Amino acid sequence: MRVLLVGSADSIWLKKYVDNIGDDPRIEFSILSPDNCMFSEFYREKNVCVYTSPFSQRRAAEGVDEGGVKTGGRKGVREIAKSILPGFLSKRIYYYLLSRRVKEFLTSQDQFDIVHFHYVSDDSDLIYYNSVKKYNARVILTYWGSDLLRNGRPGGNKKIRERADHIVCLSAKLTACYFGFYGDMEKNKLKTIGFGISGYDYIDRVYNEKFRLETKDLLSFPECKLHVAVGYNASEAQQHVGVIRAIARLPKEYKKGLHLILQFSYGKSEDSSYYSLINRELEASGCSWTIINEFLDDYSSALLRCKIDIFVHAQITDSLSASMLEYLYSGAIVINGSWLEYPMLNALGNKCLSFDDFDGLTGVLESIIANPRERGGMSVSDKEALRSINSWQSVRSAWLGLYTS
């Protein structure tokens, strides 16, 4: 069974998906991606072909895509479109050129049995017309969060939704949003399947003293301070500036004892002015800080989770953040914006704190610092409850069932 995954090969979530699903002997995965592939060695080991040539942007300048296909150094379609006309017309030209390149690419490929869209965007409609119709393949759509919460609109992606054999939402909240946006016409093929979290296992290993000693120099933060993580990626949607300003309003003696950590390993915007603003706010905050720009592997990510005392999550929208759950599992104090509703956590006895606005966040942080509590708020039963819902062991069979049913 040949499955074409449409998604970002650079994204850690797609790597984790392939890592946990890709060893089934019945399935041969390929990936159609707009991005360079930082995980190219991993995909080679897994015998997964990654095709970027229809979209090639940065990689095209080097003349070779990650699938090993010569691109002739062609410019990326977004770059070409912007060079011809700005604004709305540029977008129309982009879709026309992308359609041509996808069609050109697919004519050279063998039959795919399933086309699985991870993250449903406007591009998905275009790829549907050029791939699904060509192969008469089965279609699976997976909504990740912002593709509904930020981009959902009545009638959006209508053709591909009607044609889909399975539609997956990663949480009950997203499923409810889907019905709210699109009605219940596709209810018989809609499924709620959580995305597996592999970080739990690595966090358990970090808490093994031998492993911690081996990796203690990977991430060095000042001792005798509270380590506060501000978001979990570089996207502006994390609202770093609002969080830093809330922290800056704390009493001076409190701020001296805080070290802020911003993980910019992925999700960085091309607009550098946002990051210049963040640096200015950090310098004025009265706290020490570290910005992590390097990509962190699974072990280093788990080590980071275990070093953080307080995790502040102010993302604009979220379905169910794996990073947030990993911080919670590691024993950090997790503070979520009250607009980020997690029914699953409520059912388990929500261990998180919340704030309604950034003034409220200042008060929550002041209360925590004034009345310190030790890490490790998750009991063994709490951890087992999290694992039972969204560990890979608990969801793997449901994902595989999409391909075999």
Side-chain angles (χ1 to χ4, degrees), residues 1 18 126:
M1 180 189 309
V18 172
L126 186 148

Side-chain angles (χ1 to χ4, degrees), residues 96 125 144 169 212 218 239 278 285 324 379 397 402:
Y96 171 76
D125 273 338
W144 276 81
C169 293
R212 294 189 77 181
L218 288 177
Q239 302 197 89
I278 287 176
S285 68
M324 182 271 292
S379 66
S397 60
L402 298 173

Side-chain angles (χ1 to χ4, degrees), residues 27 74 87 113 128-129 149 166 199 217 247 270 307 346 384:
I27 302 171
R74 291 187 301 175
D113 303 294
Y128 156 70
Y129 284 117
L149 298 175
H166 299 292
D217 295 327
I247 292 170
E270 294 181 1
K307 281 179 172 283
N346 293 334
E384 288 177 350

Side-chain angles (χ1 to χ4, degrees), residues 118-363:
H118 278 276
Y119 194 94
V120 183
S121 65
D122 290 339
D123 290 355
S124 302
D125 273 338
L126 186 148
I127 297 168
Y128 156 70
Y129 284 117
N130 287 279
S131 61
V132 176
K133 285 191 172 184
K134 168 183 167 62
Y135 298 121
N136 194 28
R138 287 191 287 147
V139 180
I140 301 171
L141 306 181
T142 295
Y143 285 93
W144 276 81
S146 60
D147 45 357
L148 266 182
L149 298 175
R150 299 176 203 169
N151 300 329
R153 62 192 187 283
N157 300 106
K158 182 178 179 180
K159 293 291 186 182
I160 193 172
R161 288 188 290 105
E162 290 176 346
R163 174 61 176 77
D165 296 271
H166 299 292
I167 300 173
V168 180
C169 293
L170 295 189
S171 69
K173 176 181 177 180
L174 274 186
T175 302
C177 286
Y178 185 95
F179 287 134
F181 283 128
Y182 304 132
D184 60 359
M185 291 295 291
E186 291 92 25
K187 65 179 180 181
N188 292 332
K189 52 190 175 186
L190 200 69
K191 296 175 172 59
T192 302
I193 306 176
F195 192 74
I197 295 179
S198 52
Y200 297 151
D201 294 330
Y202 292 102
I203 290 168
D204 287 342
R205 289 186 62 185
V206 168
Y207 278 121
N208 177 296
E209 190 62 31
K210 181 176 182 292
F211 181 79
R212 294 189 77 181
L213 288 173
E214 291 173 350
T215 58
K216 66 179 181 179
D217 295 327
L218 288 177
L219 296 169
S220 298
F221 304 139
E223 300 293 335
C224 302
K225 284 194 174 188
L226 284 176
H227 302 140
V228 182
V230 180
Y232 60 84
N233 65 36
S235 169
E236 293 184 43
Q238 298 285 334
Q239 302 197 89
H240 307 93
V241 172
V243 175
I244 296 168
R245 288 175 178 172
I247 292 170
R249 288 192 290 270
L250 288 167
K252 186 176 181 179
E253 62 272 21
Y254 285 178
K255 293 187 290 185
K256 286 182 178 179
L258 300 181
H259 184 76
L260 311 185
I261 295 94
L262 286 74
Q263 184 180 1
F264 287 175
S265 306
Y266 59 98
K268 202 160 188 176
S269 167
E270 294 181 1
D271 181 6
S272 61
S273 63
Y274 178 66
Y275 305 103
S276 298
L277 175 59
I278 287 176
N279 281 320
R280 292 196 297 271
E281 295 293 339
L282 287 170
E283 289 172 357
S285 68
C287 305
S288 58
W289 74 89
T290 296
I291 294 177
I292 301 172
N293 290 302
E294 300 79 13
F295 173 75
L296 301 181
D297 61 18
D298 291 326
Y299 297 105
S300 300
S301 293
L303 188 65
L304 174 63
R305 307 292 188 251
C306 295
K307 281 179 172 283
I308 296 300
D309 300 291
I310 301 170
F311 171 61
V312 181
H313 187 204
Q315 189 172 200
I316 295 171
T317 61
D318 181 49
S319 172
L320 187 60
S321 164
S323 296
M324 182 271 292
L325 293 175
E326 289 170 356
Y327 278 117
L328 185 62
Y329 187 90
S330 74
I333 299 170
V334 173
I335 312 174
N336 290 317
S338 59
W339 56 90
L340 302 172
E341 299 175 352
Y342 301 119
M344 180 273 284
L345 289 183
N346 293 334
L348 296 178
N350 197 339
K351 304 291 182 179
C352 304
L353 302 177
S354 68
F355 62 99
D356 295 326
D357 52 37
F358 291 115
D359 286 335
L361 174 59
T362 303

